Amino acid sequence: MAAITIVMYFQFVLTAVFFGFSMGVAPVVSYKFGAQDTAQMKRVCRFCLGATVICSLVSYVLSRLTIGFCLSVFTDPDSPVFAITMEGFPLYAVSFLFMGVSIFASSLFTALSNGTASAVISFARTFLFLVGMLLLLPQLLGETGVWLAVPTAELLGMAVSIGFLIWGKRVYEY
């Protein structure tokens, strides 16, 4: 439990980047949509998706490179918690590759005044898939399932987000 709690603190810092970026560009998307400037909205959305993917890769690499140092702030490097976390974190860190797209997609649909799509993405990612994977994967895979629950939930959430993004491209012309 201590190991997962420490990793969740790490996740909060990295997701703050995605939330900050997504909230920052939402007014621009909303303005371009309201002004019916589809050409500029396409450029903004394309840039945002590219930036999100790059930030996802950087977050993953950065988390893998700094986990030892960050973990030592919370627990002694000779402790069992440190060892458990160092063993499981590479599995958990994969979630950083997926979460940015879902966070951006949810924010995008909020900016486009589609609260339903935004809510479905957020609910699926943070509750439905996460709770489902936390109940299912540890039963199937033991301790490894605990570490894989968040990445699997984020992957499923990203799949839902991509589905909405594809649908939204036709509807909103971004």
Side-chain angles (χ1 to χ4, degrees):
M1 186 61 134
I4 289 290
T5 302
I6 293 167
V7 169
M8 294 295 283
Y9 288 139
F10 205 81
Q11 179 186 358
F12 292 143
V13 171
L14 293 175
T15 58
V17 172
F18 294 116
F19 281 110
F21 177 79
S22 297
M23 288 178 178
V25 299
V28 175
V29 170
S30 188
Y31 177 79
K32 295 299 178 186
F33 178 66
Q36 298 178 346
D37 186 354
T38 55
Q40 189 65 17
M41 192 169 69
K42 285 178 185 182
R43 280 189 221 103
V44 169
C45 289
R46 194 174 305 122
F47 170 81
C48 290
L49 282 171
T52 299
V53 169
I54 289 168
C55 285
S56 296
L57 293 168
V58 169
S59 294
Y60 173 75
V61 171
L62 187 63
S63 72
R64 293 295 310 275
L65 292 175
T66 62
I67 185 60
F69 170 75
C70 293
L71 189 54
S72 68
V73 171
F74 294 98
T75 187
D76 183 15
D78 296 327
S79 74
V81 171
F82 190 93
I84 290 168
T85 307
M86 289 302 288
E87 184 179 319
F89 187 76
L91 298 173
Y92 187 94
V94 173
S95 66
F96 302 137
L97 295 170
F98 308 131
M99 66 180 57
V101 172
S102 297
I103 292 169
F104 173 72
S106 179
S107 180
L108 174 67
F109 286 109
T110 298
L112 297 172
S113 297
N114 189 335
T116 302
S118 178
V120 168
I121 291 167
S122 293
F123 177 78
R125 175 184 163 260
T126 61
F127 185 74
L128 180 68
F129 295 141
L130 183 57
V131 171
M133 293 304 106
L134 284 170
L135 292 173
L136 178 66
L137 292 181
Q139 296 295 319
L140 297 174
L141 304 172
E143 184 180 315
T144 302
V146 174
W147 291 107
L148 288 174
V150 171
T152 305
E154 291 291 353
L155 178 62
L156 293 170
M158 187 175 79
V160 169
S161 298
I162 290 170
F164 273 106
L165 288 169
I166 291 168
W167 167 81
K169 189 171 184 167
R170 285 181 286 136
V171 174
Y172 300 105
E173 299 178 29
Y174 50 73

